[in-house]
Amino acid sequence: MRKLLSALLALALVSTFAAPALALDPAQDLDPPLWEQWGYESYEDMLTYWTEEEYAETVADQRDWETRKDAYRAAHADELAAFDAEAYFLAEYPWYSSKEEYMEMYGLADQAAFEANLLDAYVIDKVAVEDYRAEWAALQAEEPERTALFLTELDGWFAANYYDYEDIEQYMEENSWLTCLEETYLEFFEEWNGAYAFEQEQALARADFITARGGAPGELGILLNDAYLTFPADRAPYAKSGTAYADAETLSAALGIDVPAPIDGYAAVRSAAEKAGLHVYWDGMYNTVVLLDTAALAGRIDESFTILNGLLARWTEPQAGTTKETDKLKGSLTLFDSLDGDKILPFTLDAVTLHSAQGFQVTGKYDLSAAANLLKELADQGEEDIDTYLGELNDLLALVKGDFELRADYERGALYLKSALMDWLYTLSSYQDEELSPDTWYAASGLYDLSGYGTPQPSEKTTVGGLLCASAEQSALWMSPALLYDEIQSSAEQAAQVFGDGAFTKSGQNWTLTFGLEDCATLLDTDVDDGYYSLPEKLELSLTIQSDGTVTGAFVYQSRDYDYGSGITRVTADFALSPKSQKLTLELHTQNAYQLILELSGSTAATTQEPATTPPSGANIVEY
């Protein structure tokens, strides 16, 4: 193990900044001088990079290290007299192809120098082992309970965290820089104890959270929004068979409803809360039943978004029947090539969507014909064995222009896709040779919750607060439900900084918003001058909300060249969007790489035509 010497030298460097030291008397330097061992031409040349004090500290540490090695040599003279340099080299340096390669690497002129070098390395390893054993013994004496628990749990912890190894012996063998078992213990203990410390820190944070909201850590709690319910001393809530029960009288007062209860006066918390219109979650980490009054919370949030909510009301006005959306997308992709000339790939996509409360139906066509020439060119430039793939390539090229249809059934939560391109992909991925039916549909059933995507009903109202609260259902899948209320509040505060009423200025009947780099810095709680790695080079957003619900504006984003030459990306967009017509132009340009231009135009109107939400009777349906 040779890393200890380097570690000592690094430690010497650090220690020089912590305590003052005297300059070194040259007569007290090592022999040969340390500066010479480091490769400097002279003592003065070394002082260009080191101070005299730093050098003196390092020489003192190195002299101490040499003293310790000499002490080991004196105490183990018989052992070192029997040292076999050849055997040690083969065992400790298997990555060298030969002894000669090692000697050339370290400038060893003859066999005597080779043996002396390896003997010194052996002594360094032995002294390092003594140090690690002493350090582990000191740690055991300092923390006897923690180290004893660590040794008890070590095998199971190792198996769970280092499952690529059969045991610790294999780990040490494959990580040959480890000198002894005690060094391995020290390494693993730091990791094991760090994980324990993290868990303890999280447990303390949870306890502080509960206490700050009026709860009692370790006891079953009922959290209503941001405060725990308080129960009489002899009427604490309890859980039985996966159901939480609480004092009915307390629940009635907190929820504002009459909560009936059996003789013991306890009622099931979930059923009572859901009756009051609350969302209910269980949070095992906090031992808490979480009740969210999303309706009240959304109402408070919406007080800061009256302008944006007015826009959303325009865009989500309930339709009596079906709407028909007609969209056209034109695009152009330019691949920059300064040697062979730029390659320009135009493409188009046209789609018509029928949308009702039951589902939607999209029929469309696409044209990627220009990509065929590029694919052929790339195939011609490929390896000779590309011929084996030309059959599949030609099949694909025949599909760069075609049509598709997508149907969605909200009631079943199912999507259905029909496309010749999809037929080709399915056949290729499933290794099927038989020809598919020309009326094949690919179904994704039960994968999506589409129940909330129907046309809004007259009683429904889409607002910023409602959207933020609705996100709680998804957030509860990956974060502690006890934190949802604070998370929604925080998200609302951030959104208000960008899109809240205070961000708009009125001009006639219109509202205008601008958002730039300074605003982004404020939102991220940083400074433009200090935010090089957290802020883009340029950021500009401007939009105007007109009284009829039309939104016009522009957007500019430009990244920084963090890697000095990797390429700057710029995104620009202009848009004019209304409930009845939409127009958007977007450009994505990465320096010296590509440029993508998209032009989208669309219109929306009421229609008497109803969408087909399921495949035709008798169609071939493939679950995909």
Side-chain angles (χ1 to χ4, degrees):
M1 170 35 186
R2 264 67 60 194
K3 74 172 185 177
L4 185 59
L5 178 57
S6 297
L8 288 172
L9 292 175
L11 180 60
L13 283 175
V14 174
S15 67
T16 59
F17 296 98
L22 298 176
L24 176 72
D25 180 353
Q28 300 299 316
D29 207 335
L30 303 180
D31 184 22
L34 188 59
W35 58 262
E36 185 177 319
Q37 297 180 42
W38 288 349
Y40 293 105
E41 295 182 1
S42 65
Y43 180 77
E44 290 71 22
D45 182 31
M46 179 274 300
L47 290 178
T48 304
Y49 303 94
W50 294 62
T51 68
E52 290 185 342
E53 292 78 8
E54 291 170 348
Y55 185 72
E57 284 277 347
T58 307
V59 169
D61 288 336
Q62 181 66 15
R63 190 185 298 113
D64 178 66
W65 176 245
E66 293 296 339
T67 299
R68 296 181 62 212
K69 290 197 295 182
D70 290 342
Y72 185 89
R73 291 187 181 97
H76 301 82
D78 293 341
E79 172 193 337
L80 299 183
F83 176 70
D84 186 341
E86 301 289 347
Y88 184 75
F89 171 76
L90 293 175
E92 297 296 324
Y93 299 93
W95 52 87
Y96 285 98
S97 61
S98 65
K99 181 173 104 173
E100 289 71 25
E101 180 188 358
Y102 179 86
M103 294 178 66
E104 181 180 357
M105 174 69 69
Y106 287 95
L108 306 177
D110 51 29
Q111 179 67 17
F114 172 76
E115 292 180 357
N117 175 274
L118 288 180
L119 180 60
D120 190 62
Y122 175 79
V123 172
I124 289 175
D125 278 354
K126 291 300 182 180
V127 173
V129 168
E130 289 182 348
D131 285 348
Y132 285 122
R133 286 174 177 168
E135 185 178 351
W136 175 246
L139 182 61
Q140 286 182 299
E142 181 182 353
E143 299 189 51
E145 294 182 0
R146 293 295 301 149
T147 52
L149 179 61
F150 162 72
L151 293 174
T152 301
E153 296 183 354
L154 179 57
D155 289 341
W157 176 85
F158 179 85
N161 291 273
Y162 290 88
Y163 42 81
D164 290 339
Y165 299 93
E166 291 184 5
D167 48 36
I168 294 178
E169 288 72 20
Q170 183 192 10
Y171 176 85
M172 293 182 63
E173 182 179 346
E174 295 189 18
N175 294 273
S176 57
W177 52 268
L178 292 166
T179 57
C180 59
L181 184 60
E182 287 78 8
E183 182 184 7
T184 308
Y185 282 167
L186 288 166
E187 177 185 295
F188 284 164
F189 180 81
E190 183 178 1
E191 185 178 345
W192 175 86
N193 202 43
Y196 171 80
F198 176 78
E199 287 299 326
Q200 290 295 98
E201 181 181 336
Q202 294 300 304
L204 289 174
R206 289 193 293 270
D208 289 343
F209 176 93
I210 294 171
T211 302
R213 287 157 180 77
E219 298 181 6
L220 175 64
I222 313 297
L223 179 64
L224 175 58
N225 293 329
D226 61 345
Y228 278 87
L229 299 186
T230 301
F231 296 90
D234 59 344
R235 302 290 292 171
Y238 68 89
K240 181 179 179 181
S241 302
T243 300
Y245 296 89
D247 178 63
E249 184 177 346
T250 304
L251 284 178
S252 296
L255 304 181
I257 62 172
D258 181 23
V259 179
I263 297 176
D264 65 357
Y266 278 81
V269 177
R270 176 177 292 277
S271 59
E274 290 180 345
K275 181 180 178 182
L278 306 184
H279 289 264
V280 183
Y281 308 92
W282 166 247
D283 194 325
M285 294 292 290
Y286 287 79
N287 195 30
T288 295
V289 180
V290 180
L291 312 179
L292 276 183
D293 187 351
T294 54
L297 179 56
R300 289 194 295 272
I301 293 173
D302 286 331
E303 293 175 1
S304 301
F305 294 94
T306 60
I307 297 172
L308 198 55
N309 283 336
L311 175 66
L312 289 174
R314 287 277 189 175
W315 278 74
T316 58
E317 290 179 354
Q319 301 290 332
T322 305
T323 59
K324 180 178 181 180
E325 302 173 15
T326 302
D327 299 293
K328 183 175 183 62
L329 174 66
K330 289 176 57 179
S332 175
L333 175 63
T334 301
L335 303 177
F336 299 126
D337 189 335
S338 58
L339 293 178
D340 300 324
D342 297 344
K343 297 175 177 60
I344 302 176
L345 307 175
F347 55 90
T348 61
L349 173 68
D350 297 279
V352 175
T353 303
L354 298 174
H355 190 192
S356 73
Q358 289 70 45
F360 65 78
Q361 175 186 13
V362 182
T363 55
K365 57 183 180 179
Y366 59 90
D367 187 349
L368 302 169
S369 302
N373 296 329
L374 177 61
L375 290 173
K376 290 178 180 178
E377 183 178 337
L378 292 176
D380 293 339
Q381 296 174 357
E383 303 295 333
E384 294 182 1
D385 62 355
I386 193 66
D387 291 339
T388 60
Y389 303 102
L390 285 179
E392 294 177 357
L393 177 62
N394 288 329
D395 291 340
L396 175 60
L397 294 179
L399 300 173
V400 294
K401 183 177 182 180
D403 52 30
F404 66 92
E405 185 170 351
L406 177 66
R407 298 181 180 183
D409 185 340
Y410 291 152
E411 183 179 355
R412 295 182 176 85
L415 293 173
Y416 305 94
L417 173 64
K418 181 178 182 294
S419 169
L421 179 59
M422 191 65 188
D423 292 341
W424 179 80
L425 289 172
Y426 177 76
T427 303
L428 187 67
S429 63
S430 59
Y431 303 102
Q432 294 189 12
D433 295 330
E434 66 271 15
E435 186 174 344
L436 289 168
S437 164
D439 193 23
T440 296
W441 292 78
Y442 299 89
S445 301
L447 296 180
Y448 306 94
D449 180 9
L450 302 174
S451 59
Y453 290 88
T455 301
Q457 300 303 306
S459 61
E460 297 179 356
K461 182 180 180 183
T462 301
T463 67
V464 173
L467 293 172
L468 290 175
C469 289
S471 69
E473 289 289 346
Q474 296 301 319
S475 299
L477 300 175
W478 56 267
M479 68 178 295
S480 287
L483 305 177
L484 285 178
Y485 185 88
D486 289 350
E487 179 69 18
I488 295 172
Q489 290 277 57
S490 176
S491 298
E493 291 172 2
Q494 288 187 315
Q497 292 186 56
V498 184
F499 298 111
D501 293 344
F504 287 86
T505 57
K506 192 169 186 179
S507 176
Q509 296 298 313
N510 302 330
W511 290 98
T512 301
L513 176 145
T514 59
F515 184 82
L517 208 55
E518 292 281 355
D519 302 296
C520 185
T522 301
L523 187 65
L524 297 177
D525 194 23
T526 186
D527 185 86
V528 172
D529 295 332
D530 298 331
Y532 184 83
Y533 290 102
S534 59
L535 296 173
E537 180 70 29
K538 182 181 294 187
L539 180 64
E540 298 175 2
L541 169 66
S542 63
L543 60 84
T544 298
I545 299 177
Q546 300 177 9
S547 57
D548 64 351
T550 299
V551 180
T552 60
F555 174 77
V556 177
Y557 165 89
Q558 183 170 306
S559 69
R560 296 183 186 272
D561 189 6
Y562 297 117
D563 297 328
Y564 304 101
S566 60
I568 298 173
T569 296
R570 182 176 65 243
V571 181
T572 60
D574 294 286
F575 50 88
L577 311 173
S578 77
K580 294 184 178 181
S581 65
Q582 301 84 41
K583 186 174 182 180
L584 168 68
T585 301
L586 182 143
E587 177 184 344
L588 174 61
H589 186 168
T590 295
Q591 185 181 18
N592 301 324
Y594 66 89
Q595 178 188 46
L596 175 64
I597 298 176
L598 298 176
E599 297 179 10
L600 173 67
S601 59
S603 62
T604 304
T607 181
T608 57
Q609 186 178 357
E610 290 295 325
T613 58
T614 58
S617 177
N620 179 35
I621 300 177
V622 176
E623 290 287 344
Y624 195 72

